[in-house]
Amino acid sequence: MKIPLLYAGNRAVFDGIVISLLSATRYCLYPLDVYLLTMDLRDRDPKFQPLTEEQRAYLEALCRERNSESRVRLIDVGDLYRKTLLHSPNAETGYTPYCFLRLFADCLPELPDKLIYLDTDTLFCDDPLKLYTELVDGYELAGVRDRYGCRFFGANYLNSGVLLLNLAEIRRTGLFRRAVDLCATQKLFLPDQTAINRLARKKKILPRCFNEQKEARRDTVIRHFSMTIQWIPFRTQSVKPWQVDRVHQILKTFRFDGILNEYLRRRPSFPCAYEA
């Protein structure tokens, strides 16, 4: 058995993928089957450089240190994005266009019928198998309630940073096709996440241990370094795992130092790590 993991992004999040996979390989005994969705949008913004083959190979070598059967595959979905969302009302938001790429997973026949989608600011605290073996028969996807969204958008509003996808069911119901159509035609707040929540007909609510958005607890399987809100005075704050000093100084979190120190040790060897 292999554990399939799906990430999406550009070169700017390569460090996050390294850290996330370092954590996955620490706890997982099974080989990992990793899929990276990317695209080249430098014609829209010079910062939107795709993940490269050199980076894919680096990540695969990292995973194979733990299990020689692991593999990492790079998939360019730029054509799909340009055909549907390039000129959408959600093309210019506070989030990069790469957050939409997971919505094309159902269009990719090489992806398995069931897999774990992860944002690049997630770390495993336990075996990925615990999430992957959750039953999703009859559901399109499974996820954890969003820490803030469930207060304002409905009690079962999911955070889309960690999702267990039943792609076979998603393909059958057309969930992601309908989500892309909605994002292409209607301005939305948190567009991809909101579209998934609004249109999903069958979603399974998982315990918060599978997407802990505050601070890791004893039973946490995945810690998600998502945006947090300070209410008085009101301000938002974002601390990412690769911002190691901020993880220590602001979050007062030291639980992940073994993984983060390994990341810092490896970082000088990253392909294109310091390219502007």
Side-chain angles (χ1 to χ4, degrees):
M1 181 174 66
K2 290 187 175 182
I3 308 297
L5 306 179
L6 176 66
Y7 297 90
N10 61 359
R11 289 195 192 186
V13 297
F14 178 71
D15 289 46
I17 299 172
V18 170
I19 296 171
S20 189
L21 288 178
L22 280 172
S23 69
T25 57
R26 169 170 289 205
Y27 295 105
C28 188
L29 297 178
Y30 290 97
L32 299 176
D33 210 0
V34 182
Y35 300 87
L36 308 173
L37 305 186
T38 195
M39 63 179 169
D40 188 343
L41 274 187
R42 283 175 288 182
D43 55 324
R44 301 300 297 268
D45 189 321
K47 297 191 298 294
F48 292 161
Q49 300 182 63
L51 292 166
T52 67
E53 167 58 24
E54 291 76 18
Q55 291 172 323
R56 182 213 65 79
Y58 185 95
L59 294 169
E60 184 168 86
L62 181 155
C63 292
R64 287 184 171 179
E65 290 176 13
R66 175 70 169 180
N67 192 305
S68 62
E69 296 181 24
S70 292
R71 61 178 177 175
V72 177
R73 287 184 274 187
L74 185 64
I75 305 173
D76 188 327
V77 292
D79 287 346
L80 292 170
Y81 177 83
R82 290 178 182 277
K83 289 176 182 176
T84 55
L85 294 173
L86 184 64
H87 302 294
S88 81
N90 298 291
E92 302 291 339
T93 67
Y95 298 89
T96 75
Y98 295 87
C99 65
F100 292 104
L101 299 191
R102 57 188 158 185
L103 298 181
F104 300 114
D106 61 325
C107 299
L108 305 172
E110 59 265 52
L111 266 57
D113 286 344
K114 181 183 181 183
L115 74 166
I116 299 170
Y117 167 80
L118 297 161
D119 277 358
T120 58
D121 55 356
T122 55
L123 274 78
F124 284 93
C125 306
D126 206 336
D127 194 340
L129 187 67
K130 290 188 174 182
L131 174 56
Y132 184 64
T133 52
E134 283 285 320
L135 296 178
V136 287
D137 294 348
Y139 296 96
E140 292 163 307
L141 50 82
V144 175
R145 292 181 176 91
D146 187 80
R147 181 183 175 192
Y148 301 111
C150 65
R151 304 183 187 182
F152 304 107
F153 307 123
N156 290 330
Y157 184 88
L158 300 182
N159 180 280
S160 61
V162 179
L163 294 172
L164 182 59
L165 301 178
N166 183 347
L167 270 188
E169 185 68 8
I170 288 171
R171 289 172 176 134
R172 189 186 71 81
T173 65
L175 169 60
F176 282 178
R177 295 304 89 231
R178 291 181 286 115
V180 169
D181 289 344
L182 181 61
C183 291
T185 57
Q186 185 176 331
K187 183 74 172 179
L188 300 171
F189 177 68
L190 301 173
D192 53 311
Q193 178 169 276
T194 295
I196 291 171
N197 275 282
R198 185 180 297 182
L199 298 174
R201 297 168 182 165
K202 304 172 184 177
K203 58 185 180 182
K204 181 178 181 178
I205 308 301
L206 295 174
R208 64 182 283 182
C209 65
F210 291 116
N211 183 357
E212 177 53 63
Q213 300 153 55
K214 186 177 181 181
E215 57 185 334
R217 304 188 299 180
R218 180 174 297 179
D219 66 341
T220 298
V221 177
I222 299 173
R223 169 69 163 99
H224 184 190
F225 286 75
S226 53
M227 182 268 295
T228 59
I229 297 176
Q230 176 181 296
W231 298 103
I232 302 175
F234 181 84
R235 67 185 177 111
T236 61
Q237 180 173 265
S238 181
V239 178
K240 300 304 180 185
W242 52 89
Q243 299 171 317
V244 178
D245 288 342
R246 287 169 57 82
V247 170
H248 291 157
Q249 296 167 9
I250 296 176
L251 299 183
K252 310 298 182 186
T253 295
F254 302 89
R255 175 172 178 169
F256 304 103
D257 279 5
I259 294 167
L260 297 181
N261 287 337
E262 177 68 6
Y263 152 70
L264 292 174
R265 183 187 70 78
R266 292 173 178 264
R267 194 170 193 276
S269 67
F270 288 179
C272 308
Y274 305 109
E275 185 172 328

